Amino acid sequence: MIARPPKILVLHLSRSIYLPTGGTAKNPACVQLQRFLDISPFTTTGHISTNASTPISGPAVPVNKYSAESLAEIRRRNCLYRLSAMVFHSGAHDSGHFYAYRSVKAANSDDAQTGSNNILTDSDQWFMVSDIRTVEVSLESVLDAGNGYLLFYERV
């Protein structure tokens, strides 16, 4: 349980499989990412129960994630995050290459010019960065990358 959600949430996804032979391999499972992450089910209410038959602490009251009021409530509790970067790996467990995706605010976006704080408006530009090149990519290609192992979320 998370008592105080951080400004930046970094999630490390283990991509290793330990084989019965003692060796290791890369876990090929694709991870489906979401642009927004609500961690409120994993936060504590601050109430500690001493009853042995109930959990020590529970999540805040769940809300409907698809309404503007619910998003506002999740945000008020500092539990709503937006994906801002990801590090991923292509290749085998013992070889391959690391890449990074990073979002930046578009210079000509309404958000950048007016200071708009609408979390559902996504005017970020995404870039894929490697040792040899940087290219602009779509949010969809980031979410579909599947081999992420470090995810960076910023609280909105």
Side-chain angles (χ1 to χ4, degrees):
M1 300 296 283
I2 300 170
R4 291 187 303 169
K7 277 182 95 169
I8 306 294
L9 180 67
V10 181
L11 302 175
H12 173 246
L13 307 178
S14 177
R15 304 298 295 177
S16 296
I17 298 173
Y18 298 95
L19 305 172
T21 60
T24 57
K26 182 177 177 183
N27 182 345
C30 287
V31 177
Q32 290 200 311
L33 301 177
Q34 299 293 320
R35 177 67 167 135
F36 293 98
L37 178 66
D38 170 18
I39 66 164
S40 59
F42 310 103
T43 59
T44 182
T45 60
H47 172 74
I48 302 294
S49 172
T50 57
N51 184 342
S53 64
T54 61
I56 192 167
S57 184
V61 177
V63 294
N64 178 354
K65 296 179 187 179
Y66 300 107
S67 72
E69 295 82 18
S70 297
L71 285 173
E73 173 60 18
I74 293 167
R75 190 172 183 194
R76 184 191 64 75
R77 293 186 302 210
N78 292 322
C79 294
L80 187 62
Y81 290 81
R82 179 180 9 223
L83 184 67
S84 60
M86 176 180 70
V87 177
F88 74 101
H89 181 262
S90 65
H93 188 268
D94 58 352
S95 65
H97 195 74
F98 290 96
Y99 298 85
Y101 286 118
R102 177 67 171 126
S103 69
V104 295
K105 288 278 181 220
N108 60 352
S109 74
D110 289 338
D111 290 351
Q113 293 173 1
T114 64
S116 172
N117 208 14
N118 183 354
I119 61 173
L120 299 178
T121 303
D122 196 359
S123 59
D124 291 357
Q125 291 176 290
W126 280 89
F127 293 91
M128 183 190 72
V129 181
S130 72
D131 293 343
I132 56 172
R133 65 186 175 136
T134 298
V135 295
E136 188 171 357
V137 295
S138 68
L139 172 60
E140 290 75 28
S141 66
V142 175
L143 298 177
D144 292 339
N147 267 340
Y149 88 96
L150 281 177
L151 307 175
F152 296 83
Y153 283 89
E154 295 177 353
R155 192 171 62 208
V156 293

